[in-house]
Amino acid sequence: MSLKKKGLVLSLAVASSILLATGCSSSATSGGASGSNDAKLPAVGGTIYKFDDNFMSYVRRSMEDSAKGKVNLMLNDSQNDQAKQIEQVDTLIAKGAKSLAINLVDPKAAQTIVDKAKAKDIPVIFFNKEPDEAVLKGYDKAYYVGTTSSESGVLQGELIAKAWESNKDKWDKNHDGKIQYVLLKGEPGHPDAEARTKYVIDTLKSKGIQVEQLAMDTAMWDATKATEKMDAWVSKYNDKIEFVIANNDGMALGAIASLEKAGYFTGDKFVPVVGVDAIPEALEMIEKGKMVGTVLNDAKNQGKATVDLAANAANGKDVLAGTDWKLDDKKAVRVPYIEITKDNIQVGKDAYK
Ligand code: GAL
Ligand code: CA
């Protein structure tokens, strides 16, 4: 090889390593990447649908803690953009990820990601947003870590029923025996949002409690959007609202902010609010009497199970090796939900320590 050619090869090598490096930093700035950065450990490629999601920030923390000293977790912020997430998956595979841990942006994109992973024989652990059963069935190295979505709706319904039964003298403001409610829904099409919305109401009805929906709309799991919705509903219905049901705590907190502006939670002005997740900010509201209760969505164990399975997969082991997790017939690890009120608030606190 001539000297000139050698120089060209070298500069190409330098250029491509610069390209790779900028590829990393561009995902760190525009996509936001973080990880344990221990290059000697097996690499696990991860995505979170958006870092700026209250509950997912706790799942992320648990994943990062669980990864320490075990795997090199390369975690990307998909910024709620499915196209961006697909690119991130391509990059993670190119960087040598031995397994993938994917929190989908759009549950419908699961097949696209499985196709990419399958082509390289890389196992995929989906978490938090459950893909269709057929997608998991179609690839023997695809798994899910999450919950049984309907359970959170059932528990929230039971919690509302108990609270209503013991407070209806005060809470049934128009004395018609029915709960006039507004419902803040999570992202439409998200299995958790759909199931919570259905099962909370089905559960109330099955307990013989009559309900009347005043309003329902999505606030996309988001506190700020929930405040805006609630502002509009408070000005339209005001005291007619007898219950605020939120698919998650983020939106419950957003609703409380709106209600506070309207003078609620001072003197006798009160409306019961419930959520799901049991994030620390919601537990604080329960202690202050501004929230009736929530349902623990166990971020710590979901994050840990995701990394446990992904680490085993990256090491070519059975995904459950050395763990206590169990797979159901859909190849899913399902972490249970727990009803949380003032009476057992410590359970929620311990889960988010
Ligand atoms: C749900 C959680 C929501 C939101 C969503 C994101 O399980 O309750 O707060 O984080 O996941 O997919
Ligand atoms: Ca009523």
Side-chain angles (χ1 to χ4, degrees):
M1 200 186 278
S2 76
L3 251 180
K4 214 175 163 192
K5 256 196 181 158
K6 241 186 206 163
L8 183 66
V9 172
L10 252 180
S11 57
L12 268 178
V14 170
S16 65
S17 66
I18 288 172
L19 266 180
L20 261 181
T22 47
C24 290
S25 64
S26 87
S27 76
T29 49
S30 76
S34 68
S36 54
N37 282 331
D38 195 338
K40 277 178 238 98
L41 297 168
V44 171
T47 64
I48 290 200
Y49 91 102
K50 60 171 187 173
F51 278 3
D52 180 23
D53 172 294
N54 216 326
F55 171 73
M56 291 312 298
S57 70
Y58 292 100
V59 176
R60 178 183 159 201
R61 195 178 71 187
S62 163
M63 288 175 74
E64 284 167 348
D65 288 349
S66 310
K68 272 183 203 135
K70 204 172 173 184
V71 288
N72 174 21
L73 178 65
M74 304 181 279
L75 207 49
N76 288 264
D77 180 359
S78 302
Q79 298 180 326
N80 213 16
D81 179 340
Q82 188 57 63
K84 175 170 276 169
Q85 181 169 80
I86 306 271
E87 279 170 27
Q88 290 169 337
V89 167
D90 287 334
T91 307
L92 288 167
I93 293 176
K95 281 186 183 167
K98 296 278 176 280
S99 68
L100 295 171
I102 304 295
N103 174 216
L104 294 160
V105 175
D106 176 358
K108 296 266 168 294
Q111 189 61 53
T112 309
I113 290 172
V114 161
D115 290 344
K116 287 177 184 292
K118 203 174 175 179
K120 295 266 160 41
D121 200 33
I122 297 172
V124 190
I125 321 298
F126 291 103
F127 63 102
N128 170 263
K129 284 193 200 179
E130 187 165 2
D132 286 344
E133 205 183 323
V135 179
L136 294 186
K137 265 203 180 142
Y139 182 32
D140 60 340
K141 292 182 179 164
Y143 303 88
Y144 177 63
V145 172
T147 61
T148 302
S149 299
S150 57
E151 201 177 276
S152 47
V154 171
L155 290 177
Q156 197 186 42
E158 288 174 356
L159 188 161
I160 294 172
K162 270 181 263 168
W164 177 259
E165 289 302 343
S166 43
N167 291 286
K168 61 182 169 206
D169 297 352
K170 288 172 287 170
W171 293 1
D172 186 9
K173 290 175 189 151
N174 65 350
H175 308 289
D176 69 347
K178 291 186 196 166
I179 307 181
Q180 274 75 26
Y181 69 90
V182 296
L183 193 149
L184 288 158
K185 187 175 172 178
E187 184 194 340
H190 189 306
D192 289 348
E194 298 302 335
R196 288 174 193 169
T197 301
K198 175 178 164 25
Y199 286 95
V200 64
I201 302 305
D202 285 2
T203 302
L204 286 168
K205 287 182 182 160
S206 76
K207 293 190 168 298
I209 294 178
Q210 293 185 59
V211 293
E212 183 188 342
Q213 181 180 293
L214 296 178
M216 164 164 74
D217 205 350
T218 178
M220 301 299 283
W221 305 120
D222 183 75
T224 311
K225 289 197 177 81
T227 303
E228 283 163 20
K229 289 280 168 240
M230 200 65 213
D231 284 350
W233 293 342
V234 167
S235 68
K236 188 163 176 195
Y237 302 107
N238 202 352
D239 269 351
K240 291 202 181 80
I241 303 171
E242 295 177 346
F243 232 107
V244 179
I245 305 172
N247 276 177
N248 79 340
D249 286 345
M251 296 187 293
L253 295 170
I256 291 170
S258 165
L259 291 162
E260 281 177 330
K261 278 191 289 179
Y264 282 85
F265 310 117
T266 46
D268 277 350
K269 211 166 155 63
F270 179 80
V271 64
V273 179
V274 288
V276 175
D277 284 341
I279 53 173
E281 300 92 315
L283 299 177
E284 234 172 76
M285 288 298 163
I286 294 173
E287 282 181 320
K288 286 184 181 152
K290 294 182 188 180
M291 245 172 105
V292 169
T294 185
V295 177
L296 169 67
N297 191 8
D298 190 335
K300 203 196 257 175
N301 275 312
Q302 289 173 57
K304 183 176 187 319
T306 303
V307 170
D308 283 351
L309 269 66
N312 274 330
N315 286 310
K317 293 188 193 159
D318 181 293
V319 285
L320 299 181
T323 75
D324 289 333
W325 307 115
K326 303 230 165 5
L327 289 174
D328 71 3
D329 57 351
K330 298 197 173 86
K331 291 193 290 168
V333 170
R334 301 192 192 269
V335 178
Y337 285 106
I338 303 171
E339 186 183 316
I340 303 287
T341 60
K342 222 173 201 162
D343 300 340
N344 67 343
I345 199 133
Q346 197 56 42
V347 175
K349 287 187 181 170
D350 290 345
Y352 276 86
K353 248 186 213 156

